[in-house]
């Protein structure tokens, strides 16, 4: 399927479809004259892929996008994950995937990024030759579009020559029936490209999540068995990465959920059908001009009424059935939601580990407090013994000191003091355990 604008197509056909190709000198001189900065865009279509030096204004004319949508793809600006459906293009900004999808081609600004190389290879294999139906689907869609346009024009001509409600024999099929029975099962070009973008972004996030899980669970288990500064630093870094990845995954999930909740946004992304509808409208307008030149003045109101009825029927025919896109988005919504669930489980495991470590630290603190109480009690008891010793050390007259040799009274006093201290300590510890202050 070709773009409705002939000028960009002619420029694309004249450029060599080879990677690393540079624009002709004439185009370089034109770009310098305009004074606009151009950069290399990788153009991927069903005919192949090639590099092209294109300026910002050329991209805006080529895709019909405003400047604010192109800022989403600027690598110097940090924008969250976004999927924008516009009249003639779809803007994709998912993680490292930045692209503009039209009905016939995909424009990638950061094709030289090493992280984008697998995405580009997958995109070329998926969109080239209709992905398994070598150019047959595209040719059949063009033939169907021309046939539908021809049938529509014939229907208008015959409808204007008939009264309302009459149907001649051998009349062409209704455009609604043509929409129902003339489609192919191959996804449109823009949906195949969108699927590759979603698949690449989900695969990248899933890979980072799996890597984080492989590092996080052993580190957390090791921290529970041995609390050290090194293990705490590892867990801190893992938790920081977990918060970052969770935010990115949550943003992609919210973007898909927002698209699924808005039918108008999904209908806006049917670029191929809008292109076919535009072709049929142009063919119908040419037939109307040729036919109205032969009509008389008194039948203009009736002709306008018939034309209006047909235009409403044509719009109803090309009203997109969003079930196809809805199923595509739901599949990747489930995948990204599963990734988010993995991160949620890992976050819960981290929180449980933190709670367990806090409990262990509280237990250690309680043990230290108990030891402090026991040491304080022992100090108090020893202080009582020191008081007794201090009393005997004072310069006073005691009969015990006047004995010629150590008598039994000295030993009775010494062992009595020690025994009293021990009994006092045991009594204090027993009272603490009985009251629940000590374990």
């Amino acid at each position: 399927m070709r773009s409705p604008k002939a000028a960009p197509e002619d420029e694309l056909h004249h450029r060599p479809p080879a990677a690393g190709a540079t624009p002709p000198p004439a185009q370089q001189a034109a770009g310098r004259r305009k004074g606009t900065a151009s950069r290399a865009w990788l153009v991927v279509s069903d005919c192949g892929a090639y590099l092209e030096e294109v300026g910002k204004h050329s991209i805006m004319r080529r895709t019909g996008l405003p400047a604010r949508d192109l800022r989403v793809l600027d690598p110097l600006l940090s924008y969250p994950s976004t999927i924008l459906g516009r009249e003639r293009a779809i803007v994709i900004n998912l993680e490292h995937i930045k692209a503009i999808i039209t009905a016939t081609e995909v424009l990638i600004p950061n094709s030289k990024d090493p992280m984008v190389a697998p995405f580009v290879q997958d995109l070329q294999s998926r969109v080239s030759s209709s992905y398994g139906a070598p150019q047959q689907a595209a040719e059949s869609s063009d033939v169907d579009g021309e046939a539908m346009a021809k049938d529509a024009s014939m229907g208008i001509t015959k409808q204007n020559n008939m009264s309302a409600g009459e149907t001649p024999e051998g009349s062409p099929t209704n455009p609604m029936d043509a929409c129902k029975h003339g489609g192919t099962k191959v996804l449109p070009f823009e949906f195949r490209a969108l699927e590759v973008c979603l698949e690449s972004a989900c695969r990248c996030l899933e890979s980072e999540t799996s890597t984080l899980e492989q590092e996080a669970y052993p580190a957390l288990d090791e921290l529970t068995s041995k609390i050290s500064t090194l293990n705490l630093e590892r867990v801190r870094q893992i938790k920081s990465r977990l918060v970052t990845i969770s935010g990115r995954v949550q943003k992609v999930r919210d973007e898909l959920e927002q698209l699924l909740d808005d039918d108008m946004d999904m209908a806006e992304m049917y670029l191929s059908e809008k292109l076919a509808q535009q072709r049929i409208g142009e063919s119908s307008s040419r037939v109307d001009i040729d036919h109205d030149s032969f009509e008389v003045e008194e039948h203009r109101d009736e002709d306008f009424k018939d034309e209006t009825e047909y235009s409403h029927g044509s719009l109803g025919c090309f009203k997109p059935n969003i079930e196809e896109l809805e199923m595509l988005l739901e599949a990747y919504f489930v995948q990204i939601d599963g990734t988010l669930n993995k991160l949620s489980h890992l976050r819960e495991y981290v929180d449980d580990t933190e709670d367990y470590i806090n409990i262990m630290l509280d237990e250690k603190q309680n043990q230290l407090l108990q030891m402090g109480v026991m040491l304080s009690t022992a100090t108090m008891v020893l202080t009582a013994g020191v008081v007794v010793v201090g009393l005997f050390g004072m310069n006073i007259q005691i009969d015990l000191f006047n004995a010629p040799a150590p008598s039994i009274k000295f030993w009775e006093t010494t062992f009595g003091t020690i025994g009293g201290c021990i009994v006092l300590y045991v009594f204090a510890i027993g009272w603490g355990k009985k009251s629940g202050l000590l374990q």
Side-chain angles (χ1 to χ4, degrees):
M1 185 176 296
R2 303 301 180 189
S3 175
K5 288 190 176 183
E9 285 189 357
D10 296 338
E11 294 177 1
L12 292 181
H13 288 305
H14 287 297
R15 296 187 181 93
T22 57
Q27 296 179 4
Q28 294 180 355
R32 288 193 297 268
R33 286 195 302 270
K34 292 180 180 179
T36 59
S38 61
R39 61 177 176 179
W41 290 72
L42 180 64
V43 182
V44 180
S45 63
D46 53 0
C47 299
Y50 55 93
L51 285 175
E52 182 178 353
E53 290 286 340
V54 186
K56 179 179 178 180
H57 296 288
S58 299
I59 292 294
M60 294 170 59
R61 291 192 300 267
R62 188 168 176 174
T63 60
L65 294 175
R68 63 177 180 271
D69 290 341
L70 291 181
R71 281 197 294 268
V72 177
L73 305 178
D74 194 341
L76 300 179
L77 302 177
S78 178
Y79 279 89
S81 297
T82 307
I83 301 177
L84 302 176
R86 295 296 184 252
E87 181 66 25
R88 292 165 48 195
I90 302 174
V91 181
I92 302 295
N93 180 26
L94 295 176
E95 295 299 316
H96 60 284
I97 307 300
K98 299 179 183 293
I100 300 176
I101 302 175
T102 65
T104 57
E105 61 187 9
V106 181
L107 304 174
I108 304 173
N110 57 340
S111 59
K112 297 181 180 180
D113 190 351
M115 296 181 61
V116 185
F119 161 71
V120 173
Q121 294 178 0
D122 194 12
L123 181 64
Q124 292 178 6
S125 62
R126 295 284 288 273
V127 303
S128 62
S129 300
S130 298
Y131 188 51
Q135 297 181 353
Q136 293 179 0
E139 294 175 358
S140 63
S141 62
D142 293 338
V143 173
D144 292 341
E146 295 176 359
M148 292 172 64
K150 183 178 180 180
D151 293 341
S153 61
M154 293 176 63
I156 293 178
T157 305
K158 293 186 177 181
Q159 191 176 12
N160 291 329
N161 294 330
M162 294 170 53
S163 60
E166 295 181 0
T167 304
E169 297 181 358
S171 60
T173 58
N174 193 1
M176 182 67 73
D177 297 335
C179 288
K180 291 182 179 179
H181 303 289
T184 61
K185 293 188 180 294
V186 179
L187 286 175
F189 178 86
E190 64 271 15
F191 290 168
R192 281 181 279 134
L194 176 62
E195 183 178 8
V196 177
C197 296
L198 293 174
E199 182 179 353
S200 180
C202 293
R203 188 190 306 119
C204 177
L205 294 174
E206 178 69 23
S207 176
E208 293 187 17
T209 302
S210 301
T211 303
L212 183 62
E213 285 181 336
Q214 293 175 3
E215 297 178 6
Y217 286 112
L220 293 172
D221 294 338
E222 185 177 356
L223 180 62
T224 55
S225 61
K226 181 182 179 181
I227 301 176
S228 63
T229 305
L230 180 61
N231 292 336
L232 288 174
E233 179 63 22
R234 289 178 58 190
V235 173
R236 186 193 65 81
Q237 295 177 359
I238 288 173
K239 187 174 181 180
S240 177
R241 291 169 54 191
L242 174 62
V243 172
T244 303
I245 296 177
S246 299
R248 292 160 53 193
V249 174
Q250 183 67 45
K251 180 57 182 175
V252 176
R253 181 188 180 277
D254 293 343
E255 192 67 23
L256 292 178
E257 186 178 9
Q258 183 179 359
L259 281 176
L260 289 171
D261 293 339
D262 197 336
D263 294 344
M264 296 300 297
D265 287 346
M266 287 191 289
E268 194 73 18
M269 301 171 70
Y270 279 77
L271 306 179
S272 298
E273 290 197 13
K274 288 191 290 186
L275 184 59
Q277 180 182 1
Q278 182 181 1
R279 291 179 176 178
I280 293 178
E282 293 176 355
S283 301
S284 301
S285 62
R286 287 195 298 268
V287 173
D288 292 339
I289 293 174
D290 295 338
H291 178 73
D292 291 341
S293 60
F294 297 99
E295 290 293 329
V296 293
E297 184 71 22
E298 60 268 13
H299 293 96
R300 287 183 179 179
D301 294 337
E302 183 179 356
D303 294 340
F304 178 77
K305 181 179 179 181
D306 294 339
E307 182 180 352
T308 305
E309 290 177 355
Y310 174 74
S311 62
H312 286 297
S314 178
L315 290 175
C317 169
F318 283 95
K319 182 178 180 180
N321 185 9
I322 62 174
E323 292 182 359
E324 187 178 45
L325 178 58
E326 189 175 8
M327 292 176 61
L328 175 64
L329 294 177
E330 282 181 351
Y332 290 98
F333 176 79
V334 172
Q335 182 177 351
I336 202 67
D337 190 62
T339 304
L340 186 61
N341 289 334
K342 290 182 180 180
L343 294 173
S344 300
H345 294 160
L346 182 57
R347 180 187 291 273
E348 292 177 358
Y349 195 83
V350 171
D351 294 339
D352 293 342
T353 303
E354 289 181 350
D355 295 339
Y356 178 73
I357 292 175
N358 291 331
I359 293 173
M360 291 178 61
L361 294 177
D362 292 341
E363 179 66 21
K364 295 293 183 182
Q365 186 176 4
N366 292 334
Q367 293 177 2
L368 292 174
L369 291 175
Q370 291 181 8
M371 183 178 294
V373 171
M374 295 174 67
L375 292 176
S376 299
T377 304
T379 303
M380 182 188 68
V381 172
L382 289 176
T383 303
V386 170
V387 170
V388 175
V389 174
L391 291 175
F392 281 98
M394 295 178 68
N395 190 13
I396 58 177
Q397 294 294 328
I398 300 176
D399 295 338
L400 182 60
F401 296 156
N402 297 327
S407 62
I408 192 171
K409 292 182 179 181
F410 174 79
W411 297 110
E412 288 178 354
T413 303
T414 302
F415 288 114
T417 303
I418 296 173
C421 292
I422 293 175
V423 170
L424 184 61
Y425 180 76
V426 172
F427 175 77
I429 296 299
W431 178 81
K433 290 185 177 181
K434 185 178 180 179
S435 62
L437 296 177
L438 299 175
Q439 294 182 357

